[in-house]
Amino acid sequence: QVQLVESGGGLVQAGGSLRLSCAASGRTFNSCAVGWFRRAPGKEREFVAAISWSGGTTDYADSAKDRFTISRDNAKNTVYLQMNSLKPEDTAVYYCAARPGGIPVVRAGLYGYWGQGTQVTVSS
């Protein structure tokens, strides 16, 4: 079992930055790939970024490339999403998710563990 807790969301002006954290408990977390997803009001959940168990492989949605950076510190059982140059369209609830096996994927259905989410609001 893996439990995930997101933090770091909040209200920020366009052009600002936030760093989200995904803190995990559970013995198998360090062998899991982790993804960040988001759901904006009235929209479906979408993939944002993902990272392999070792941190050596990452993947980003086109909307996140060059602005967001995913990283992890396995000693702290934590995955981060650094978000820069935020835009109003980044407003959403952000979720982290973990999947045993270590390979990052974009399909949400392949992640077995999910956090409760953290709200990010970007004002114009």
Side-chain angles (χ1 to χ4, degrees), residues 8-19 83-88 90-91 119-124:
L11 174 63
V12 64
Q13 289 188 332
S17 298
L18 284 173
R19 188 177 79 158
M83 305 188 296
N84 298 328
S85 302
L86 283 162
K87 306 174 181 179
D90 294 317
T91 295
Q119 176 71 47
V120 171
T121 302
V122 185
S123 63
S124 57

Side-chain angles (χ1 to χ4, degrees), residues 16-29:
S17 298
L18 284 173
R19 188 177 79 158
L20 305 184
S21 298
C22 174
S25 60
R27 293 185 301 171
T28 62
F29 178 73

Side-chain angles (χ1 to χ4, degrees), residues 32-83:
C32 290
V34 174
W36 283 97
F37 295 80
R38 67 187 183 186
R39 187 191 298 273
K43 296 187 178 181
E44 294 190 353
R45 180 175 53 190
E46 65 175 357
F47 169 77
V48 177
I51 190 167
S52 63
W53 70 272
S54 68
T57 300
T58 58
D59 194 11
Y60 296 91
D62 288 343
S63 60
K65 287 178 181 176
D66 301 323
R67 299 190 300 128
F68 295 2
T69 302
I70 190 171
S71 62
R72 68 190 298 162
D73 184 341
N74 283 343
K76 296 182 177 180
N77 276 9
T78 302
V79 172
Y80 305 98
L81 184 68
Q82 177 67 44
M83 305 188 296

